[in-house]
Amino acid sequence: MAEALTQTLDLEALRSFVAVARLGSLAAAAEQRHRTVGALSMQIKRLETHLGTRLMIRGARGMTLTASGDALLGEARELLRRHDGLVARISGRGLSGRVRFGMPEDFASHLVGRLLPDFLARHPDVVLEAVTATSGQLARRLERGDLSLIVALDRPHRLSGGERLWRTSPVWAGARDLSLSADAPLPLALHPVDCPYRQLGIEALEAERRPWHAVFTSTSIHALETAVEAGLAVSILEQDRLTPAMRELGDAEGLPRLADCHAELHYGRGVSATSWPAVEALGEMIRARLGHRG
């Protein structure tokens, strides 16, 4: 083992290792890295030989990390980030390429307010395209190759291989002076299908056999909040979006508990080699800034 530690690790092999770990597939990583599956497999084997330990195991669901591989992953990402930053500073060439980033509107203020401007200030040559949509829509656009990376909730359209960032805090929200009748169907203000909180609420109500009907439907979070403040309907909102005109509803109103939900970071598989360093840089910034938000 002491002899293995004196050997220099191949940075390109580390890049391939990180790509396979992120995508969960040698074939997908080979496509992104513009290499053959055999070449990537040999790079991983050389890393394992140099480190004297197994890093990955091939299974029915693709490549999974061993305990040693999981420990290496964070260190490898940090090493590559520092290396690429050093090269950019000394050579005078910063990151470039195109980054297409998607996020739910509910969390846009946390991302657009400071994080994205800071990213562009650090990397002015990167072309950034940011969009908001429901988590279900974002997941489908990522799978189609329309987006480079997304922050999305882990429902209703679940994606594999994401990095969990935080646990969200959805609550039943109503106007401060709202009075509900236990016998009448619950009036709801909802996003259209593909919204995680819509699914959470409907699942919880149907499990309790509580009747409901959609009074107001909109793609705009601000429109839903206005409907709640006006007393038109009840909605499911992130707890920190409650305004002074709202109150959190729950047991006293006969409303069921909402299931847990998590925000995750997902990368696209069709990112070009020239754009990938910029995509990864934004992902690292999101992870650093928002990874412990919940």
Side-chain angles (χ1 to χ4, degrees):
M1 187 68 178
E3 180 182 354
L5 292 176
T6 64
Q7 300 183 45
T8 302
L9 293 178
D10 181 352
L11 290 179
E12 290 306 305
L14 283 177
R15 292 189 198 279
S16 295
F17 166 75
V18 170
V20 175
R22 176 173 56 84
L23 298 172
S25 162
L26 278 170
E31 181 179 356
Q32 185 182 90
R33 299 272 294 144
H34 299 289
R35 287 169 170 76
T36 65
V37 171
L40 255 68
S41 180
M42 288 301 298
Q43 285 182 319
I44 302 301
K45 287 180 180 178
R46 283 198 296 269
L47 272 179
E48 292 177 331
T49 299
H50 288 171
L51 294 172
T53 185
R54 189 78 177 271
L55 300 175
M56 291 183 164
I57 298 174
R58 187 192 299 271
R61 296 186 177 180
M63 304 294 288
T64 58
L65 294 175
T66 64
S68 296
D70 191 54
L72 175 63
L73 182 59
E75 299 285 351
R77 282 178 170 149
E78 178 63 14
L79 175 60
L80 292 171
R81 186 187 68 80
R82 289 180 176 273
H83 170 271
D84 294 345
L86 173 63
V87 171
R89 289 192 300 273
I90 300 302
S91 67
R93 297 190 302 271
L95 296 180
S96 60
R98 185 178 299 273
V99 177
R100 294 168 296 171
F101 172 56
M103 58 194 151
E105 184 184 357
D106 305 44
F107 306 111
S109 61
H110 299 285
L111 295 160
V112 178
R114 290 190 60 183
L115 192 148
L116 295 184
D118 286 352
F119 175 78
L120 288 177
R122 292 187 189 184
H123 309 293
D125 294 329
V126 172
V127 177
L128 175 67
E129 299 174 6
V131 300
T132 62
T134 63
S135 289
Q137 291 171 335
L138 292 172
R140 289 182 173 85
R141 292 188 64 179
L142 188 79
E143 290 179 324
R144 291 198 304 264
D146 296 340
L147 297 172
S148 310
L149 75 165
I150 63 172
V151 170
L153 303 192
D154 57 355
R155 57 176 63 219
H157 188 74
R158 295 182 183 272
L159 294 171
S160 61
E163 299 178 44
R164 184 167 290 181
L165 296 174
W166 71 85
R167 185 171 68 181
T168 65
S169 303
V171 297
W172 295 104
R176 184 153 294 281
D177 58 354
L178 179 69
S179 177
L180 293 175
S181 170
D183 299 327
L186 183 70
L188 291 180
L190 300 168
H191 283 306
V193 294
D194 278 339
C195 171
Y197 286 179
R198 176 191 177 100
Q199 183 187 47
L200 284 178
I202 291 175
E203 283 180 355
L205 291 172
E206 292 184 345
E208 296 290 327
R209 297 185 178 180
R210 174 74 184 265
W212 62 274
H213 69 118
V215 173
F216 183 74
T217 302
S218 175
T219 58
S220 168
I221 183 64
H222 299 293
L224 293 186
E225 290 170 347
T226 300
V228 172
E229 290 177 333
L232 180 64
V234 171
S235 191
I236 304 97
L237 301 175
E238 188 69 6
Q239 189 174 44
D240 62 11
R241 296 193 69 97
L242 295 182
T243 69
M246 303 178 191
R247 64 187 175 94
E248 182 177 338
L249 309 177
D251 292 341
E253 293 75 24
L255 294 178
R257 178 185 176 276
L258 296 168
D260 287 341
C261 198
H262 294 86
E264 297 180 340
L265 177 66
H266 292 271
Y267 294 92
R269 296 192 173 190
V271 180
S272 68
T274 55
S275 293
W276 170 244
V279 171
E280 189 173 41
L282 178 57
E284 289 291 341
M285 183 177 286
I286 291 170
R287 187 183 298 107
R289 298 275 188 94
L290 301 179
H292 302 288
R293 179 178 176 272

